[in-house]
Amino acid sequence: PSTARMDQIRKRTLYEREGVREYWLVHPSDKMLYIYRLLDSGYGPPEILPAEGITMVACLPGIEIDWTAVFRSD
């Protein structure tokens, strides 16, 4: 919980101030992805997606995340 709070408040505020174009939060227990995208006035509401299949990284063309590989339990 303390790490989640830091990610959702402190880091998001810092990244927003520094101009980070996308900020992703992954909730591994429920396999959900929250993507914050920088607008003129700061981060907009998050796009909320299931962390499954493949997700393209909008600010890095050609980069994708394969959630099957991320959550693989070898």
Side-chain angles (χ1 to χ4, degrees), residues 51-71:
E52 59 187 26
I54 293 177
T55 303
M56 303 301 292
V57 180
C59 69
L60 298 170
I63 303 296
E64 60 188 30
I65 305 297
D66 179 352
W67 297 109
T68 304
V70 171
F71 293 117

Side-chain angles (χ1 to χ4, degrees), residues 2-66:
S2 64
T3 300
R5 182 171 179 231
M6 180 179 288
D7 290 342
Q8 293 172 9
I9 298 171
R10 294 181 71 191
K11 285 183 182 179
R12 187 181 71 191
T13 301
L14 174 65
Y15 294 164
E16 184 177 57
R17 184 177 64 226
E18 296 300 322
V20 174
R21 292 183 288 166
E22 285 188 3
Y23 178 50
W24 290 28
L25 289 173
V26 179
H27 293 262
S29 59
D30 57 2
K31 295 185 178 172
M32 294 300 293
L33 170 63
Y34 296 73
I35 303 174
Y36 293 88
R37 290 193 175 88
L38 196 60
L39 308 171
D40 291 335
S41 60
Y43 287 130
E47 179 179 2
I48 303 170
L49 305 166
E52 59 187 26
I54 293 177
T55 303
M56 303 301 292
V57 180
C59 69
L60 298 170
I63 303 296
E64 60 188 30
I65 305 297
D66 179 352

